[in-house]
Amino acid sequence: MSRIRKPEDLPGRVGMPLFEDARGPGLGLLPPCFTAGGFCFFREGAYRKEQKMDTPLEKARAGESTAAMERVAAAEGVETETIMRGMASGEIVVVAGSRASVKPVAIGKGLRTKVNASIGTSSDIAELDMEIRKARVAEESGADTLMELSTAGDLDDIRRRILGAVTLPAGSVPLYQASMESAERLGTATGMTDGLLFEVVERQAADGIGFMAIHCGVNQRTVEVLKRQDRRNGGLVSRGGAFMVAWMEKQQRENPLYERFDRLLEVLRRYDVVLSLGNGMRAGAIADATDKAQIQELLINTELADRAREAGVQAMLEGPGHIPIDEIEANVILQKRLSGGKPFYMLGPITTDIAPGYDHITAAIGSAWAVAYGTDFICYVTPAEHLGLPYAEDVRQGVMAARIAAHIGDTVKLGRRGRDLRMGDARRRLDWDEQYRLAIDPERARAVRDDRPGSDGDGCSMCGDQCAIEVAEACMSQTD
């Protein structure tokens, strides 16, 4: 049993008892089992499930498949053994979570590149209905995963409502919620306790989060490297990275996600959550790409990914955000070589800093190159990037741009060009129904053509009566 402490003993929500176990105080509100004499008693780890004998990674190593492995294998058109071998080697992760309705996704070597869409409230715009709509638009537009990154409102309710609205595997950044709850309770995010941070991790995992971006690599060594190098052109742009740097500077101690990494792994293992090692030192301007702080964090993250796998926890690594085109290949090679080929989750990358309002395009350019060089998973960028919180239409455009980039990259990385060949043939034959069927966005393709004169014939309004294909076909048929 955990020991109950009076509210005045530790800062927390007014009138609610707090708990403390052997690992220190926690500020979470844990459901009581019974009350007696004015005290509430509950079992330690109220959010925990029973420890499972084997995680999916351990089962794959033992040659034992799961329903999720079989399902993703069928979706990818590969044998289940291919997924199992990839998981065992660390080159593939299967993201699911504990929700019964979730549609699992496999990410990694030899598989179709996956696209993530990130949504979530902010202190300026905290509208639950809008976020649910954005989540549904992301799924309807073809995103493979969703990250719920809210920082305002009832964060637990928002997350649970969004998870209930879609079947996509969902990711999160627990540090966001822990920082927000610390600010609410203590008046400052930098007052966050270890107990609160780990309790939020477990709370989110229990809700069915399938992968978590954890900023373990932002430790004292990384911050020292950041301070010693030249001043960054674009500053520190990762919210998680900035939160953790501010916390360490205030507390004058090590990042608990790094210092108590084994405790983190206990929670992730218990709920079969994939560890996505966050890129808190990612560049926010192309001039800052591939600098010492970014590489220092990568070195730490690769070591932690190995430790996670030793503990039976699947792991992938996140990559930098703003990168000039001529450094993308180097970044992919570095991550793959240092990590032993673990899945690479790249945020963007945005390839120029001068196109606000069009960064879904600048990121799509970078993503196509990154995927071609070996990136496995890309996070979309919307037209609202650098300008404001995305709306539903921004989400749709971001997902479509990222899906196009992923497909372009896969034509190189995987050599998958059959769909393009079929589209070329359909265009030569002026088979519009087949063109719509093969299009990445059939509805938009049909709407654009139908909105213009000439859509009732074989050609289109671009050439009108001077259709190059019809002229060429007529000429060739006469020659034959």
Side-chain angles (χ1 to χ4, degrees):
M1 300 290 285
S2 295
R3 179 164 61 90
I4 302 299
R5 305 184 73 181
K6 296 178 181 179
E8 58 267 26
D9 291 339
L10 284 171
R13 293 186 184 176
V14 176
M16 294 300 295
L18 306 172
F19 76 98
E20 182 178 38
D21 62 21
R23 293 162 297 191
L27 297 178
L29 299 178
L30 300 183
C33 293
F34 59 90
T35 60
F39 292 91
C40 70
F41 298 87
F42 48 83
R43 296 189 182 278
E44 184 177 319
Y47 285 101
R48 298 176 189 165
K49 297 179 179 177
E50 291 299 318
Q51 181 78 18
K52 294 182 178 179
M53 292 300 295
D54 293 305
T55 66
L57 172 55
E58 290 165 336
K59 289 180 179 178
R61 285 172 175 160
E64 180 183 349
S65 67
T66 66
M69 295 177 203
E70 294 167 1
R71 187 172 177 183
V72 297
E76 294 286 340
V78 301
E79 298 295 326
T80 302
E81 288 73 18
T82 299
I83 301 297
M84 294 166 60
R85 284 195 301 270
M87 292 177 66
S89 69
E91 295 170 308
I92 290 175
V93 297
V94 173
V95 182
S98 60
R99 293 147 55 216
S101 62
V102 73
K103 180 180 178 182
V105 166
I107 299 167
K109 184 177 180 180
L111 308 178
R112 176 180 62 82
T113 300
K114 305 306 186 298
V115 170
N116 175 74
S118 296
I119 63 166
T121 63
S122 76
S123 57
D124 288 337
I125 307 176
E127 299 178 13
L128 174 58
D129 289 345
M130 184 177 79
E131 296 307 318
I132 291 174
R133 172 62 180 153
K134 285 158 61 174
R136 288 173 172 157
V137 166
E139 183 164 30
E140 292 164 2
S141 300
D144 298 290
T145 64
L146 184 79
M147 290 197 78
E148 202 292 292
L149 305 179
S150 292
T151 57
D154 184 335
L155 301 183
D156 289 332
D157 182 60
I158 291 170
R159 178 176 60 257
R160 291 161 187 161
R161 293 278 298 278
I162 288 173
L163 292 182
V166 296
T167 64
L168 300 177
S172 68
V173 182
L175 182 57
Y176 290 1
Q177 181 168 0
S179 297
M180 296 306 101
E181 290 192 7
S182 178
E184 176 186 344
R185 301 178 191 182
L186 309 178
T188 173
T190 55
M192 177 184 67
T193 66
D194 293 15
L196 173 59
L197 178 56
F198 287 108
E199 193 264 314
V200 167
V201 171
E202 188 151 11
R203 199 190 314 161
Q204 293 190 359
D207 281 345
I209 290 295
F211 67 104
M212 290 186 179
I214 308 286
H215 295 83
C216 307
V218 182
N219 66 3
Q220 290 179 333
R221 172 58 180 156
T222 304
V223 174
E224 179 185 356
V225 171
L226 178 66
K227 289 178 177 178
R228 286 186 176 183
Q229 71 179 35
D230 294 337
R231 182 182 178 88
R232 277 189 162 187
N233 178 251
L236 189 60
V237 300
S238 162
R239 278 189 294 182
F243 287 161
M244 187 49 67
V245 169
W247 186 91
M248 286 191 291
E249 291 293 295
K250 176 67 175 179
Q251 299 291 330
Q252 288 297 294
R253 52 169 292 219
E254 185 58 276
N255 175 357
L257 295 168
Y258 175 77
E259 188 175 48
R260 309 179 74 176
F261 187 63
D262 289 339
R263 180 176 177 184
L264 172 68
L265 293 180
E266 289 174 9
V267 178
L268 301 186
R269 176 189 170 91
R270 189 176 299 117
Y271 294 93
D272 297 335
V273 176
V274 175
L275 172 62
S276 184
L277 286 149
N279 191 210
M281 293 291 134
R282 70 175 182 269
I286 61 172
D288 300 328
T290 327
D291 67 1
K292 294 177 182 178
Q294 176 196 316
I295 301 305
Q296 176 61 43
E297 184 185 22
L298 173 62
L299 290 169
I300 294 167
N301 282 345
T302 57
E303 294 175 358
L304 295 177
D306 289 339
R307 284 178 58 187
R309 284 180 43 76
E310 289 170 4
V313 175
Q314 299 181 83
M316 59 184 172
L317 288 88
E318 297 185 7
H322 290 236
I323 315 176
I325 282 178
D326 60 344
E327 294 183 24
I328 293 175
E329 182 180 17
N331 273 267
V332 177
I333 290 173
L334 271 173
Q335 187 276 341
K336 288 291 184 178
R337 184 70 58 82
L338 295 174
S339 73
K342 291 181 181 63
F344 192 12
Y345 177 20
M346 189 166 274
L347 313 178
I350 291 172
T351 49
T352 181
D353 300 327
I354 65 162
Y358 299 93
D359 276 326
H360 59 311
I361 298 174
T362 68
I365 293 168
S367 294
W369 284 83
V371 171
Y373 290 130
T375 295
D376 307 286
F377 187 24
I378 58 175
C379 185
Y380 84 164
V381 172
T382 76
E385 184 76 10
H386 301 113
L387 301 172
L389 195 75
Y391 292 150
E393 177 58 20
D394 298 315
V395 168
R396 189 192 71 80
Q397 291 189 39
V399 171
M400 297 311 305
R403 286 183 60 205
I404 292 166
H407 172 77
I408 292 170
D410 281 347
T411 65
V412 177
K413 181 176 69 175
L414 303 177
R416 294 181 178 176
R417 304 186 184 188
R419 186 172 174 181
D420 293 83
L421 289 171
R422 294 193 296 275
M423 177 65 88
D425 179 68
R427 284 176 173 159
R428 179 182 58 79
R429 294 184 287 104
L430 297 175
D431 185 341
W432 291 101
D433 288 336
E434 180 69 355
Q435 290 179 57
Y436 297 146
R437 189 185 69 80
L438 292 167
I440 201 164
D441 187 349
E443 292 183 7
R444 176 162 172 76
R446 186 183 296 273
V448 169
R449 182 166 184 262
D450 288 350
D451 187 50
R452 289 156 175 78
S455 62
D456 54 346
D458 290 336
C460 71
S461 58
M462 181 68 184
C463 294
D465 293 336
Q466 292 80 43
C467 177
I469 290 175
E470 290 184 331
V471 171
E473 286 295 310
C475 177
M476 295 300 291
S477 62
Q478 289 177 7
T479 301
D480 294 340

